[in-house]
């Protein structure tokens, strides 16, 4: 089944909003994420339901069917592999690759995707730490912890981010809060939830609670 770019974007959006396909998604949430009108969302959901890619009944939320989830995971896999390629092979910054990968993810060729994965050494995570499903659609089981949930004195390795905006990624790059860095939580301020970190056992830095909740460690 060949899908349009818009149909793929809807499936991917539902997948992300539904916690990787596990829960029902509100129509308004889809409209907000895709920056479109609720009426347009309703029309597209009916089309996707007719193709047996989603389960949809008005006012009851949207879930992916098994086939819809398979399609969504395939799109996510392509997107994240292209991000790895752009960073590792073409030397783009991690703050530059999302929009480019958004275009490349719509190349619907399983053979190309599999060869790209093999060429890259079958990575399990993209440059932002997001897990890449394998060719069977399976994700490696990893339990990330947001920095704002760490206890004082605990340590971890920065392994992902849950905020992908260019400004946030540039902020992290500026302060050396990038993947692979060892951090220890020295103090949490009760007033505003800001946290003081020790980075690679050499540099202290205080960041906001908002920043801390979007940095993921293992």
């Amino acid at each position: 089944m060949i899908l349009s770019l818009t149909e793929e974007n809807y499936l991917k959006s539902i997948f992300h909003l539904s916690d990787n396909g596990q829960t029902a998604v509100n129509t308004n949430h889809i409209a907000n994420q895709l920056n479109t009108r609720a009426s347009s969302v309703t029309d597209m959901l009916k089309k996707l339901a007719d193709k047996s890619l989603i389960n949809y009944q008005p006012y009851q939320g949207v879930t992916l069917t098994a086939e819809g989830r398979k399609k969504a995971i395939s799109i996510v896999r392509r997107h994240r592999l292209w991000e790895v390629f752009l960073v590792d092979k073409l030397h783009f910054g991690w703050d530059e690759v999302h929009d480019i990968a958004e275009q490349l993810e719509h190349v619907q060729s399983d053979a190309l995707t599999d060869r790209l994965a093999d060429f890259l050494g079958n990575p399990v995570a993209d440059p932002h730490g997001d897990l890449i499903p394998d060719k069977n659609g399976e994700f490696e089981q990893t339990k990330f912890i947001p920095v704002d949930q760490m206890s004082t004195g605990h340590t971890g390795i920065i392994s992902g981010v849950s905020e992908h905006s260019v400004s946030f990624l540039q902020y992290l790059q500026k302060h050396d809060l990038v993947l692979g860095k060892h951090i220890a939580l020295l103090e949490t301020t009760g007033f505003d939830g800001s946290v003081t970190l020790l980075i690679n056992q050499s540099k202290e830095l205080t960041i906001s609670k908002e920043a801390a909740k979007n940095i993921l460690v293992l």
Side-chain angles (χ1 to χ4, degrees):
M1 182 190 304
I2 300 298
L3 301 177
S4 70
L5 182 151
T6 302
E7 288 172 329
E8 288 198 334
N9 284 339
Y10 268 79
L11 290 178
K12 187 176 70 169
S13 177
I14 294 168
F15 179 76
H16 289 315
L17 289 171
S18 65
D19 188 25
N20 292 359
Q22 303 303 313
T23 59
V25 180
N26 182 284
T27 301
N28 289 331
H29 290 165
I30 300 172
N32 289 337
Q33 184 170 89
L34 296 176
N35 194 27
T36 190
R37 296 175 301 174
S39 58
S40 298
V41 172
T42 299
D43 290 342
M44 178 55 70
L45 295 180
K46 290 177 181 177
K47 292 179 181 179
L48 294 174
D50 288 341
K51 293 184 176 183
S52 299
L53 295 171
I54 64 169
N55 301 302
Y56 170 64
Q57 291 186 355
Y59 313 111
Q60 293 187 21
V62 180
T63 58
L64 295 169
T65 63
E67 182 63 21
R69 188 173 189 276
K70 179 180 176 182
K71 291 286 187 183
I73 289 176
S74 177
I75 301 163
V76 169
R77 173 172 162 80
R78 296 197 298 262
H79 181 101
R80 294 176 180 176
L81 284 171
W82 282 120
E83 288 197 336
V84 175
F85 176 80
L86 291 166
V87 170
D88 288 0
K89 304 303 180 181
L90 299 186
H91 310 298
F92 281 86
W94 71 336
D95 59 316
E96 300 177 294
V97 296
H98 179 74
D99 288 345
I100 304 172
E102 284 276 298
Q103 300 171 58
L104 293 169
E105 72 184 23
H106 298 293
V107 179
Q108 299 179 36
S109 169
D110 291 338
L112 174 61
T113 302
D114 291 342
R115 290 194 183 191
L116 178 62
D118 288 341
F119 175 69
L120 296 171
N122 293 296
V124 298
D126 72 11
H128 310 108
D130 293 320
L131 298 176
I132 300 173
D134 63 22
K135 65 187 304 180
N136 298 315
E138 299 296 327
F139 290 85
E140 186 176 88
Q141 296 300 311
T142 303
K143 184 64 175 178
F144 294 117
I145 301 174
V147 169
D148 71 323
Q149 293 183 20
M150 294 174 66
S151 301
T152 301
H154 283 201
T155 64
I157 304 294
I158 298 178
S159 302
V161 293
S162 54
E163 166 62 57
H164 292 180
S165 67
V166 171
S167 59
F168 183 62
L169 295 176
Q170 290 177 342
Y171 167 82
L172 296 181
Q173 189 79 39
K174 177 181 178 180
H175 293 290
D176 206 26
L177 290 169
V178 295
L179 302 195
K181 292 294 182 179
H182 180 279
I183 62 171
L185 196 147
L186 301 180
E187 180 183 13
T188 299
T189 303
F191 172 67
D192 60 3
S194 60
V195 300
T196 300
L197 305 173
L198 179 64
I199 305 170
N200 274 7
Q201 300 180 329
S202 61
K203 172 186 174 183
E204 287 191 20
L205 177 70
T206 299
I207 62 175
S208 68
K209 178 178 177 62
E210 184 67 21
K213 78 178 185 180
N214 285 296
I215 301 171
L216 308 175
V217 298
L218 285 177

